[in-house]
Amino acid sequence: MSLKLRKKVDPLPGCPMSKCMALLSGLWTPELIWCLSHGARRFSELQRNNPTITAKVLSGRLRDLQARGVISRAVLATSPPSVEYQLTSLGMELIPAITSIVEVGSRLLLRDSAGEQ
Amino acid sequence: MSLKLRKKVDPLPGCPMSKCMALLSGLWTPELIWCLSHGARRFSELQRNNPTITAKVLSGRLRDLQARGVISRAVLATSPPSVEYQLTSLGMELIPAITSIVEVGSRLLLRDSAGEQ
DNA sequence: CTGTATCCCCGTGGATACTG
DNA sequence: CAGTATCCACGGGGATACAG
């Protein structure tokens, strides 16, 4: 794990770009929002979908996202207790941006594999 | 400057999301790509468009972006010498993602100002 | 199952000064 | 004008162990 991705700073407060990037900030954050855009997920499900994230970081990101109003947390009265996270309406507004990022990334990956052959 | 934005790590190499985010990584990087998406820009122009970035960080980001193949650098034989940066074809592929981010951010900002009144 | 508590490394980015 | 050279503080995130 050598390539670094994003540090949390808001270079231009009040700027559209920063407004959105601030919500996507934090390692794993876009991945988590992407997972949750497909429906509510439990803690362990998010761990399975992101194999190399540690519990500490996962719970950290989830707390951040909740604090920013991007996701909601619901404790289910099951046994053993489980917790479900899902996007808020604010969180859902991020989906177009996330989708665009995924689409661009997919196209770049396709080109890579095409070029290698 | 308290809000943190992005640290450069690639949590899931080979994943579309990471493929794209890796190119957007680094503080100021999306802003710079956004500036360059409107045409070639000189070093000092980029500084003027991003008032709080320091020369060290700006030249660092530009070197990173060049190394990733996102932008190209051209030294113009003027006097005094000037340097022009512009997006490569790879860099232009990022525009849809950046545009999406800006659009989402703009909508969120509009909502904020509407709610405050 | 869903987290929290420590410890620690190191990259990032700011400040400042200097150069061709 | 277009950078480079240092120095430094900060905090994010990994590893590991533990807890309700």
Side-chain angles (χ1 to χ4, degrees):
Chain A
M1 204 129 317
S2 55
L3 248 192
K4 301 294 181 167
L5 250 200
R6 62 229 103 155
K7 192 165 190 176
K8 304 173 179 171
V9 177
D10 198 352
L12 293 169
C15 193
M17 171 102 55
S18 298
K19 178 73 182 179
C20 182
M21 291 304 286
L23 298 178
L24 303 182
S25 81
L27 192 53
W28 295 104
T29 301
E31 282 82 0
L32 294 176
I33 297 177
W34 180 241
C35 286
L36 292 174
S37 72
H38 300 314
R41 289 286 181 297
R42 307 214 334 254
F43 190 89
S44 53
E45 293 179 304
L46 293 171
Q47 266 188 318
R48 266 190 297 279
N49 291 339
N50 304 278
T52 64
I53 195 175
T54 64
K56 175 203 163 190
V57 173
L58 176 54
S59 73
R61 292 283 73 84
L62 292 172
R63 256 186 288 109
D64 291 350
L65 286 171
Q66 197 183 352
R68 295 172 198 164
V70 173
I71 66 175
S72 60
R73 197 185 101 115
V75 181
L76 307 180
T78 58
S79 112
S82 56
V83 182
E84 248 188 24
Y85 296 90
Q86 67 181 317
L87 294 183
T88 61
S89 60
L90 170 59
M92 298 194 197
E93 304 213 46
L94 300 175
I95 295 184
I98 301 270
T99 302
S100 241
I101 291 169
V102 172
E103 283 173 356
V104 168
S106 300
R107 226 176 316 129
L108 297 181
L109 278 182
L110 277 179
R111 156 147 355 174
D112 278 3
S113 56
E116 283 166 7
Q117 294 163 6
Chain B
M1 207 128 319
S2 55
L3 248 191
K4 302 294 180 164
L5 250 202
R6 61 228 101 148
K7 192 167 189 175
K8 302 174 180 172
V9 179
D10 199 353
L12 293 169
C15 194
M17 170 104 53
S18 298
K19 178 74 183 178
C20 181
M21 291 302 288
L23 298 178
L24 303 183
S25 82
L27 192 54
W28 295 104
T29 300
E31 283 81 1
L32 294 177
I33 298 177
W34 181 240
C35 287
L36 293 175
S37 73
H38 301 314
R41 290 284 181 293
R42 308 215 331 256
F43 191 89
S44 54
E45 293 179 304
L46 293 171
Q47 265 188 319
R48 266 190 296 279
N49 291 340
N50 303 277
T52 65
I53 195 174
T54 63
K56 173 204 163 191
V57 173
L58 176 54
S59 73
R61 292 283 72 85
L62 291 173
R63 256 185 288 111
D64 291 352
L65 286 171
Q66 197 183 352
R68 295 172 197 163
V70 172
I71 66 175
S72 60
R73 197 184 100 114
V75 182
L76 307 181
T78 58
S79 110
S82 55
V83 181
E84 248 189 22
Y85 295 90
Q86 68 181 317
L87 294 184
T88 61
S89 58
L90 170 61
M92 298 196 196
E93 304 214 45
L94 299 175
I95 294 183
I98 302 270
T99 302
S100 244
I101 291 169
V102 171
E103 282 173 356
V104 168
S106 300
R107 225 176 315 129
L108 296 180
L109 278 181
L110 277 178
R111 156 144 356 171
D112 279 3
S113 57
E116 283 167 6
Q117 293 164 6

